[in-house]
Amino acid sequence: MDITVLDALTYAGDARSIQDLASVSLVEGDIADAGVVDPLVAESDLVVHFAAESHNDNSLNDPSPFVRTNIVGTFTLLEAARRNDVRFHHISTDEVYGDLELDDPAKFTASTPYNPSSPYSSTKAGSDLLVRAWVRSFGLRATISNCSNNYGPYQHIEKFIPRQITNLIDGIRPRLYGAGANVRDWIHVDDHNRAVWAIIDGGRIGETYLIGADGEKSNLEVVQELLAAFGRPEDDFDHVTDRPGHDLRYAIDASKLRDELGWRPQHTDFQDGLAHTVDWYRSNEDWWRPEKARVEASYASQGQ
Ligand code: DAU
């Protein structure tokens, strides 16, 4: 199998991340550019649409790239897949469903109404709806997955867990937005990717599958687990300015994925997964170091 990665190589992309993979080639380009997208899709059997502007804090500072990449980019890919009758899988987020109360026993399912909060999540919600419309109106052979928060190697250091790991490596205290009570449903990136394979292999066309590994943790709990991994006291962190409109809690009911496709997460021990992730960032400083000062300066300008 040959895989072509189309990536705009913005601040969040790094060609080194895939350079050692056999049968994977990189094309540098923009998914919103039909001139780039069309010929690539024409020679493909399957499009897996991972590309997105993905960071909520950035979308609050400047929503425009989110509209262009997430909405116009998805539209451009869908049109190319339609013209060439190519199977399409769309990667999305649980954030399209908005948030849950901390004490609500409910979890998100594929029938939860869309209720996104941020410029980021609203553009992902819009992209999901485009995919659904292309299935219904044009018969596009597409599936959608909505996954919870990923952690693991190769995650950009603007994200919560790698930001705190690289802070701790640098002797900086972790930064917790607000009180740290917000809950995220953590899943290892390899489990996410295995679920995407399962949906590509066996998912029903037109269906949406939620991906999650029952990994709910408050942000405070995550910071304290990281502090423990570094042998630091559990109160050795700073509270910083909260994110405007900060979603309280996400939680995924992945029973459809489990029951229909037999998928199970393999990384079920979060502490162990975090320890391996810490090791990866310790061993791969060359990969993240060039971005660290810029990311921290950007957060500092927002009081975070
Ligand atoms: O739920 C899936 C989503 O998870 C994905 O669709 C997004 O692309 C991904 O960025 C992530 O969104 P979040 O906004 O939940 O992730 P983030 O890593 O930015 O933050 C996780 C939580 O940690 C959130 O409650 C905000 C908080 N936080 C974040 C940072 C960067 C802090 O307390 N301190 C921080 O320094």
Side-chain angles (χ1 to χ4, degrees):
M1 176 176 34
D2 293 321
I3 297 173
T4 304
V5 174
L6 174 60
D7 195 309
L9 294 182
T10 63
Y11 78 94
D14 189 330
R16 292 174 301 167
S17 305
I18 58 170
Q19 70 187 2
D20 296 331
L21 298 177
S23 310
V24 176
S25 55
L26 174 68
V27 173
E28 185 175 348
D30 181 352
I31 58 163
D33 180 347
V36 173
V37 166
D38 268 353
L40 291 174
V41 173
E43 63 187 27
S44 301
D45 306 309
L46 165 72
V47 172
V48 187
H49 175 24
F50 274 99
E53 288 287 343
S54 74
H55 199 52
N56 278 299
D57 295 316
N58 296 342
S59 81
L60 295 164
N61 291 337
D62 180 9
S64 63
F66 290 76
V67 173
R68 177 179 163 79
T69 297
N70 299 355
I71 303 275
V72 182
T74 300
F75 163 76
T76 308
L77 287 166
L78 285 169
E79 282 293 80
R82 172 161 85 104
R83 266 192 292 276
N84 295 286
D85 188 24
V86 171
R87 166 87 168 88
F88 193 92
H89 180 70
H90 180 59
I91 307 292
S92 192
T93 171
D94 58 357
E95 296 191 15
V96 299
Y97 301 114
D99 61 351
L100 299 160
E101 295 298 325
L102 294 179
D103 58 358
D104 187 344
K107 295 185 173 202
F108 299 137
T109 71
S111 51
T112 303
Y114 274 37
N115 187 27
S117 314
S118 74
Y120 160 64
S121 53
S122 61
T123 58
K124 288 301 288 183
S127 70
D128 291 10
L129 299 183
L130 290 176
V131 178
R132 290 182 184 196
W134 262 240
V135 171
R136 173 142 181 187
S137 302
F138 303 126
L140 187 77
R141 292 175 295 130
T143 40
I144 298 174
S145 55
N146 298 83
C147 189
S148 60
N149 284 63
N150 283 212
Y151 76 99
Y154 291 103
Q155 188 170 35
H156 192 275
I157 55 164
E158 68 191 349
K159 305 292 186 193
F160 178 49
I161 287 178
R163 181 184 185 204
Q164 313 316 335
I165 292 173
T166 53
N167 277 351
L168 284 161
I169 290 173
D170 281 355
I172 302 169
R173 282 155 67 99
R175 307 277 199 249
L176 205 50
Y177 293 177
N182 306 63
V183 169
R184 296 293 182 264
D185 191 353
W186 294 99
I187 182 172
H188 193 280
V189 60
D190 291 346
D191 283 329
H192 180 187
N193 286 327
R194 264 189 286 273
V196 170
W197 271 120
I199 296 164
I200 290 165
D201 273 350
R204 287 180 292 133
I205 297 301
E207 291 294 315
T208 291
Y209 294 87
L210 272 61
I211 306 173
D214 298 320
E216 283 185 68
K217 298 254 177 207
S218 73
N219 294 337
L220 176 61
E221 287 175 289
V222 174
V223 159
Q224 288 180 332
E225 293 205 31
L226 286 170
L227 285 165
F230 279 82
R232 303 259 292 257
E234 65 169 27
D235 60 352
D236 197 9
F237 63 85
D238 291 318
H239 291 284
V240 294
T241 311
D242 206 353
R243 174 183 286 171
H246 196 174
D247 280 341
L248 259 183
R249 171 176 161 250
Y250 307 137
I252 292 272
D253 174 351
S255 49
K256 180 173 169 180
L257 176 69
R258 287 170 177 264
D259 297 347
E260 270 187 33
L261 302 178
W263 171 87
R264 298 283 182 277
Q266 292 178 6
H267 296 266
T268 48
D269 182 338
F270 185 67
Q271 218 176 352
D272 183 61
L274 265 193
H276 280 98
T277 306
V278 169
D279 287 347
W280 190 87
Y281 283 90
R282 281 192 197 280
S283 310
N284 290 278
E285 191 169 333
D286 287 358
W287 184 85
W288 57 265
R289 175 61 67 196
E291 277 285 286
K292 186 64 179 167
R294 184 195 65 74
V295 167
E296 289 308 314
S298 165
Y299 277 129
S301 71
Q302 307 296 319
Q304 294 176 322

